[in-house]
Amino acid sequence: MTAVDFNGRLDDDDFPAYTMGRAAEMLGTTQGFLRAIGEARLITPLRSAGGHRRYSRYQLRVAARARELVDQGTPIEAACRIVILEDQLEEAQRINAEYRRAAEAVNP
């Protein structure tokens, strides 16, 4: 992405609309926390043309969940792993539901 194009994209959960500073402010955390969860590979922010990190709403939700766990005393690496596993489980459940619907449509 060479330049941020906001036209019609602000409703897109995956559009990297938020700077690191704004993302940290919205989450009530530090930029260091965002860097740490990036280093733990929980989220990978996109980079602007100038090399600045930019975050999507989806990434902010993921970061907020990690912050909840860290605030409860979970080490950051473990919190990131938990969030990754929660996300994988949610996706697997969504796929299973789709398969069930498809199977029911074929064999009512």
Side-chain angles (χ1 to χ4, degrees):
M1 177 176 273
T2 57
V4 179
D5 175 19
F6 288 99
N7 295 331
R9 305 279 316 265
L10 291 178
D11 290 335
D12 182 351
D13 258 5
D14 296 317
F15 182 67
Y18 303 98
T19 64
M20 177 180 268
R22 180 69 180 128
E25 179 183 312
M26 290 170 68
L27 294 171
T29 191
T30 65
Q31 293 181 15
F33 175 80
L34 291 173
R35 281 189 211 94
I37 62 174
E39 289 170 11
R41 298 181 193 262
L42 178 60
I43 58 176
T44 303
L46 290 172
R47 298 284 181 149
S48 69
H52 300 283
R53 291 174 180 90
R54 300 196 59 92
Y55 297 88
S56 68
R57 287 190 305 200
Y58 171 76
Q59 290 173 324
L60 294 183
R61 283 195 303 274
V62 169
R65 175 64 180 133
R67 180 167 182 240
E68 278 179 34
L69 292 168
V70 169
D71 287 350
Q72 294 170 5
T74 306
I76 196 161
E77 297 82 13
C80 290
R81 185 66 183 142
I82 289 167
V83 173
I84 289 167
L85 291 170
E86 288 174 343
D87 198 47
Q88 289 173 343
L89 176 60
E90 184 179 321
E91 178 67 8
Q93 289 172 331
R94 185 191 62 75
I95 290 168
N96 283 341
E98 287 178 14
Y99 285 146
R100 273 194 295 280
R101 283 191 296 275
E104 288 169 1
V106 172
N107 299 317

